[in-house]
Amino acid sequence: MRKNIVAGNWKMNVTASDAKHLMDEINQGTYNCDLIVACPTLYLQMATTKDYQFSLAAQNCHHETSGAYTGEVSAQMLASADIKYGIIGHSERREYQNETDELITKKFNRLVENNMTPILCVGESLDIRQSGKHLGFVANQLKHVLDNCAIRADFILAYEPVWAIGTGETASPEQAQEMHQHLRSVLTSYQKEDTSILYGGSCKPGNAKELFAQTDIDGGLIGGASLKAESFLAIANSF
Ligand code: PEP
């Protein structure tokens, strides 16, 4: 079923004491959506020992089940620590870690095998948008995973135009809706029309309401504005 969801991606920010403080502040807030916090891996278990109202997401997982992969964290390890969600395919990992659709599909499979819910990120660069090929490009990122995953399980989709991430430039509500509608039609062709589709890219308290009011936008994946409880909670109250 489509749900209203706001997920915060802290990326590689916040010290341990600040993380604890920020989580406590978020937990004191009220909101009318599913709230997810993707904090750095190091802090995930610190949070599972608390009785927080929000859910936790890993920002990544390894594509293999276990083994000699120094420094990596598997989906099985995350699931065993009670983590419910995992972000995969974020544009920063596609760019800096050269993650391909093939690798992202393996990560999707590892999460699903461990009963976790993938938050699959897709999105186009500025060049692709300017070439006018953005709808097909982003749809293909999604189709690659859906065509090649072992089990077509429930997941959350996040449309994040790369040119809008951390730049202060947001897709207009019309641009975002056009893409979300297109992705919804792809999901429908896979009998997955009930999948929630989040918008990500410089989403803030000032623009969240207008974005979330669009027919096919079910919430947001929030980077910078998730690092302050006040702005994160304001976004979570923008439905
Ligand atoms: C993100 O990186 O997922 C993101 C949406 O970042 P920001 O909100 O800072 O643009």
Side-chain angles (χ1 to χ4, degrees):
M1 200 185 68
R2 279 174 69 181
K3 287 184 188 162
N4 290 338
I5 300 169
V6 167
N9 175 12
W10 292 8
K11 310 190 184 186
M12 197 175 70
N13 293 300
V14 186
T15 61
S17 59
D18 288 347
K20 190 179 167 310
H21 185 66
L22 180 51
M23 286 188 198
D24 285 343
E25 276 189 320
I26 293 169
N27 195 47
Q28 280 156 23
T30 53
Y31 37 87
N32 51 6
C33 63
D34 285 7
L35 200 69
I36 302 172
V37 171
C39 64
T41 317
L42 189 58
Y43 309 144
L44 283 169
Q45 210 158 13
M46 172 175 98
T48 54
T49 60
K50 298 273 203 151
D51 207 10
Y52 288 135
Q53 304 299 307
F54 54 82
S55 302
L56 292 164
Q59 295 179 14
N60 179 40
C61 70
H62 197 259
H63 60 277
E64 295 292 350
T65 305
S66 63
Y69 300 102
T70 302
E72 298 291 345
V73 174
S74 70
Q76 190 180 48
M77 289 157 67
L78 293 165
S80 72
D82 233 9
I83 309 305
K84 304 277 182 264
Y85 298 90
I87 297 177
I88 51 170
H90 193 282
S91 62
E92 286 153 13
R93 293 200 63 87
R94 288 181 192 260
E95 182 177 353
Y96 305 133
Q97 265 74 36
N98 298 316
E99 291 197 0
T100 59
D101 288 327
E102 286 75 20
L103 189 90
I104 292 158
T105 306
K106 287 185 183 171
K107 293 182 184 218
F108 184 99
N109 286 333
R110 296 296 88 77
L111 290 170
V112 169
E113 285 160 9
N114 286 283
N115 298 316
M116 292 179 65
T117 303
I119 303 174
L120 170 65
C121 301
V122 292
E124 82 286 3
S125 64
L126 188 57
D127 282 358
I128 292 171
R129 174 148 292 256
Q130 286 172 341
S131 74
K133 297 190 173 131
H134 48 288
L135 293 176
F137 178 86
V138 176
N140 282 339
Q141 289 180 320
L142 170 61
K143 283 183 196 166
H144 190 284
V145 174
L146 291 177
D147 284 339
N148 296 289
C149 61
I151 312 165
R152 211 173 284 154
D154 288 344
F155 68 106
I156 297 168
L157 183 62
Y159 167 57
E160 300 205 301
V162 180
W163 46 272
I165 295 182
T167 59
E169 180 144 356
T170 323
S172 68
E174 294 74 24
Q175 285 174 318
Q177 168 56 24
E178 180 192 38
M179 181 62 80
H180 281 231
Q181 188 175 23
H182 187 61
L183 293 173
R184 179 89 52 212
S185 71
V186 174
L187 288 166
T188 302
S189 68
Y190 288 83
Q191 287 86 49
K192 283 279 171 207
E193 61 273 28
D194 283 349
T195 304
S196 297
I197 313 178
L198 313 185
Y199 169 78
S202 299
C203 184
K204 308 179 202 70
N207 58 26
K209 242 191 185 99
E210 215 186 336
L211 286 161
F212 297 174
Q214 303 302 309
T215 315
D216 290 293
I217 301 184
D218 301 309
L221 180 54
I222 317 300
S226 71
L227 295 171
K228 294 262 180 292
E230 193 185 352
S231 47
F232 188 49
L233 289 167
I235 294 169
N237 281 293
S238 297
F239 293 96

